[in-house]
């Protein structure tokens, strides 16, 4: 479970990490009240579960109430790469002398926690890792001993933290490790960890991801799952009990079974396409399930074409075809669909589709062919072989 910045900061504060004081608000008037409480200048920050908010215009400085109103009004409702802003975090603005980076995460291959630190914070850390790997310090921690102050100090020094703040950086690393461990986090990241001109070290951002499997141990944290900020289509899918994941592209993908859906993503990417979402209808998809799935896929406006990849096992091809025909009668989609039906009762299914002659539905014989077709259709290029 990913946490919003302000929720992550609450966990930080619980474990002694320094953060700026602020308030989470849902409207402009709330923001104005928060501004008066925390004191100007303030930073207005979009609370969405995606990084790079600053670059997208979701983080703004306000010197006074007028600017706060303007920024809060602009940022609320803003869509940041598919995430709508429902909540703002208003915090007292910090002066910044340096921006560092710190993170604790689980290194699955080493089966150990990993501490990362860099003095090149505030930017995309993957960029630093690629361009200047030695500027990103990576140290494993012995899970039984934990992160000692000595090890934290050596990480801070090796990373090149300014000499006068090395102790504070080490404290921050130890506290961050404590957050990671005590809260059962998968990731606890601070970017940037700032040094103020008054030489105080403080977390200016928070990215925390909690382990869902350990949530039962943290009743306090269970309420942090924020349905208002969840993608509404993902929330609907969850209610209907289907696996739906939103992505950034323009091709909707539906398959039955997780493995098939994953390989469908791969072949679409290989054909030069970019999936907008994927949905696993699971085994035994009946007509009603197919209709729901089509509705979910099309609820995303970015979808320009849909690839329906069904390999019948328990799921019968004729049933899927009937579901699709029924769904089309009710929904009347305007985007093209490519259907690849194989496996149990595939001949019957394909015949049903052909007879129904649904507008904008194309049949493909193989997965690769289906991928090529859907990529072409999404790009507005014509293809042959209508159903
Ligand atoms: P992100 O873009 O989603 O990672 O959001 P951040 O919380 O990291 O903010 C982006 C950038 O805005 C930071 O790297 C800072 O440069 C800047 N910023 C955020 N808060 C403050 C602040 O209190 N004072 C100043 N001067 N800059 C800030
Ligand atoms: Mn950041």
């Amino acid at each position: 479970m990913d946490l919003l910045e302000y929720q992550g900061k609450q966990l930080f504060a619980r474990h002694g990490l320094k953060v700026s004081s602020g308030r989470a608000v849902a409207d402009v008037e709330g923001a104005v009240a928060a501004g008066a409480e925390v004191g100007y200048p303030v930073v207005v920050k979009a609370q969405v579960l995606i990084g790079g908010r600053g670059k997208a215009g979701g983080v703004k400085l306000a010197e006074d109430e007028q600017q706060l109103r303007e920024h809060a009004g602009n940022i609320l409702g803003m869509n940041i790469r598919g995430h709508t802003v429902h909540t703002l975090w208003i915090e007292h603005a910090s002066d910044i002398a340096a921006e560092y980076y710190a993170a604790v995460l689980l290194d699955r291959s080493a089966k150990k926690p990993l501490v990362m630190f860099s003095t090149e914070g505030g930017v995309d850390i993957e960029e630093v890792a690629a361009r200047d790997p030695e500027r990103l310090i990576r140290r494993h921690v012995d899970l039984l001993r934990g992160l000692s102050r000595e090890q934290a100090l050596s990480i801070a020094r090796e990373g090149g933290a300014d000499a006068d703040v090395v102790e504070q950086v080490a404290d921050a690393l130890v506290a961050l490790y404590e957050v990671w461990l005590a809260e059962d986090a998968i990731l606890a990241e601070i970017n940037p960890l700032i040094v103020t001109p008054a030489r105080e070290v403080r977390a200016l951002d928070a990215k925390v991801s909690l382990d869902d499997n350990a949530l039962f141990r943290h009743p306090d944290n269970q309420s942090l799952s924020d349905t208002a900020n969840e993608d509404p289509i993902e929330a609907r899918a969850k209610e209907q009990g289907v696996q739906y994941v939103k992505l950034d592209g323009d091709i909707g993908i539906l398959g039955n079974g997780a493995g098939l859906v994953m390989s469908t993503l791969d072949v679409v990417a290989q054909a030069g396409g970019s999936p907008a979402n994927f949905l696993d209808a699971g085994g035994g998809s009946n007509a009603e399930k197919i209709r729901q799935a089509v509705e979910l896929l099309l609820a995303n406006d970015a979808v320009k074409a849909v690839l329906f990849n069904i390999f019948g096992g328990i799921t019968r091809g004729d049933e899927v075809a009937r579901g699709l025909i029924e769904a089309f009668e009710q929904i009347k989609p305007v985007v093209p669909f490519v259907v690849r039906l194989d496996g149990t009762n595939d001949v019957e299914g394909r015949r049903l589709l052909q007879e129904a002659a649904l507008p904008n539905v194309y049949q493909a014989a193989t997965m690769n062919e289906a991928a090529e077709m859907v990529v072409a259709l999404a790009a507005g290029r014509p293809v042959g072989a209508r159903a």
Side-chain angles (χ1 to χ4, degrees), residues 17 39 73 79 94 174 243 249 261 265 287 320 324 327 335:
L17 252 168
N79 186 308
S94 307
V174 169
Q243 287 293 329
V261 171
L265 289 173
V320 169
L324 197 56
V335 302

Side-chain angles (χ1 to χ4, degrees), residues 71-137:
H71 293 317
N74 288 338
I75 297 175
L76 275 168
M78 184 186 269
N79 186 308
I80 302 182
R81 301 204 303 289
H83 296 250
T84 307
V85 181
H86 301 288
T87 308
L88 297 176
W89 173 246
I90 311 291
E91 75 174 23
H92 184 66
S94 307
D95 289 326
I96 302 176
E99 294 187 301
Y100 296 167
Y101 171 93
V104 179
L105 55 122
L106 177 64
D107 182 351
R108 289 179 195 278
S109 51
K111 302 193 184 84
K112 280 178 183 163
L114 178 69
V115 177
M116 302 207 285
F117 175 72
S118 176
T119 52
E120 303 219 359
V123 295
D124 194 352
I125 199 65
E126 277 84 15
E127 259 171 47
V128 177
R131 161 172 50 83
D132 238 347
E134 67 281 4
R135 300 294 306 269
L136 178 65
I137 303 296

